[in-house]
Amino acid sequence: MIHHARTLSAAALLALLASCAAPRQPAPVPTAPLVPAPAAVPQVERQTLPPAPARFQFEGAIRQGGVVIGTAPEGVVAVNLNGEKITLAPDRRFLIAFDRDAPPTARISATLSDGRSIDETLTVAKGDWEIEHVDASRTGGRTSAEFRRLRPAELAAINGARARETGAEGWRQQFTWPVIGRISGRFGAQRIYRGTPGSYHSGVDVAKPAGTPLVAPADGVVILATDHPFTLEGNLLMIDHGMGLNSAFLHLSEISVREGESVRRGQPIGRIGATGRATGPHMHWGMKWNDARIDPLLLAGPMPSRS
């Protein structure tokens, strides 16, 4: 009996030792469910827009018969006035003018180097034109047949001179009066020749005795100095001031400069006379910008007081 009990005890002991030797399995650790990572938010690239272009700057009279010097904003590569290309100087300055009969508005536009454009509408003030009665023949004292024969060649010479480009820089200057005296005829006035309506007066007249010297109102190049009197203009002198702007001096008794010669503001250029269609000695100063007839008084300012 005793031997049987020991055997059981040994078996129980072995079982106990076996259970102690077996490794314990760790308790399972609860895990959180897998959550997908949030999708990457696309980065929106901000585009910096170029600043709005500046506006044109103008100096002068925006009116019928007026001349204006403009400055284009930076980056401008081309300028147009009413669809016509305007010459642009390297410093972005340019010149425009308005005919005596210019419409009430004008459109100026520019193209920038990045392809953008600038457009502005200019309001052109209306001129106040007088009516003048002139005791002279419309044909300058010549017969109608003689006038028709001579006039085409004279106009061809005048138009050919105006078509010349000299690169003169006088357009940048303040113009001065070629002679100081009484203004006897104003630009733009409707003229009546011995009761017959004619064209408007294309310049300004200053009455002075024959032989009175006159000077260049600004720098330029002589583009026409006639060697004989024309039917209407008489002895005619024309000076180009650049950018399409030119001066014409009519009825002279003497021309003291030659075609192609450069002249400076204040330099003597001729003497007053009464050649061509004139009722007495005076200086007729006419100005044009391309095809537009303009008022010299708006460039030179009021006539100075005579000493």
Side-chain angles (χ1 to χ4, degrees):
M1 296 296 293
I2 296 173
H3 178 74
H4 182 69
R6 288 178 178 176
T7 301
L8 289 174
S9 297
L13 180 59
L14 290 174
L16 177 62
L17 291 175
S19 64
C20 292
R24 290 186 176 183
Q25 295 296 326
V29 178
T31 58
L34 295 177
V35 178
V41 178
Q43 297 294 321
V44 178
E45 183 178 352
R46 292 184 177 180
Q47 295 182 350
T48 303
L49 296 176
R55 295 171 62 88
F56 290 100
Q57 297 179 11
F58 298 108
E59 306 169 28
I62 303 178
R63 56 157 289 173
Q64 290 176 327
V67 179
V68 173
I69 293 179
T71 302
E74 289 189 19
V76 166
V77 295
V79 176
N80 291 272
L81 179 68
N82 296 328
E84 297 292 330
K85 184 178 180 180
I86 302 300
T87 301
L88 189 64
D91 61 357
R92 308 194 317 277
R93 302 190 84 194
F94 59 91
L95 187 141
I96 58 176
F98 306 96
D99 185 75
R100 186 259 197 192
D101 296 327
T105 61
R107 189 74 172 173
I108 188 165
S109 60
T111 303
L112 283 78
S113 56
D114 60 7
R116 291 181 297 160
S117 62
I118 307 171
D119 292 282
E120 292 188 28
T121 298
L122 305 179
T123 300
V124 182
K126 185 175 177 56
D128 183 16
W129 315 122
E130 301 176 351
I131 295 179
E132 293 180 352
H133 293 269
V134 182
D135 185 18
S137 166
R138 291 185 61 190
T139 59
R142 300 178 185 271
T143 65
S144 296
E146 186 180 16
F147 181 80
R148 288 194 299 269
R149 179 177 61 83
L150 296 173
R151 195 58 181 159
E154 295 172 351
L155 292 176
I158 294 171
N159 293 332
R162 286 199 169 110
R164 293 179 56 184
E165 296 182 4
T166 68
E169 293 283 311
W171 63 275
R172 296 178 180 270
Q173 297 175 319
Q174 171 62 51
F175 280 62
T176 60
W177 283 95
V179 67
I180 306 302
R182 177 179 64 87
I183 294 178
S184 56
R186 294 188 177 274
F187 171 84
Q190 176 64 55
R191 289 200 150 179
I192 309 297
Y193 294 95
R194 293 176 180 169
T196 303
S199 59
Y200 65 81
H201 192 215
S202 61
V204 60
D205 292 344
V206 179
K208 294 289 285 188
T212 302
L214 66 151
V215 301
D219 294 357
V221 176
V222 178
I223 51 177
L224 182 63
T226 61
D227 58 2
H228 66 279
F230 281 8
T231 54
L232 302 183
E233 297 83 4
N235 293 319
L236 170 62
L237 171 65
M238 296 177 63
I239 297 175
D240 174 51
H241 303 294
M243 287 288 187
L245 183 67
N246 56 75
S247 289
F249 302 95
L250 284 60
H251 314 306
L252 303 182
S253 62
E254 176 186 322
I255 297 174
S256 54
V257 290
R258 295 175 295 179
E259 195 168 313
E261 182 178 345
S262 295
V263 295
R264 295 293 183 186
R265 181 176 59 184
Q267 174 183 335
I269 55 176
R271 294 182 181 275
I272 287 176
T275 56
R277 185 176 66 189
T279 57
H282 69 281
M283 176 203 70
H284 172 104
W285 178 19
M287 297 194 73
K288 287 191 80 172
W289 174 73
N290 297 336
D291 293 330
R293 292 193 179 276
I294 54 181
D295 187 355
L297 188 147
L298 296 177
L299 274 173
M303 175 67 72
S305 300
R306 289 174 286 172
S307 57

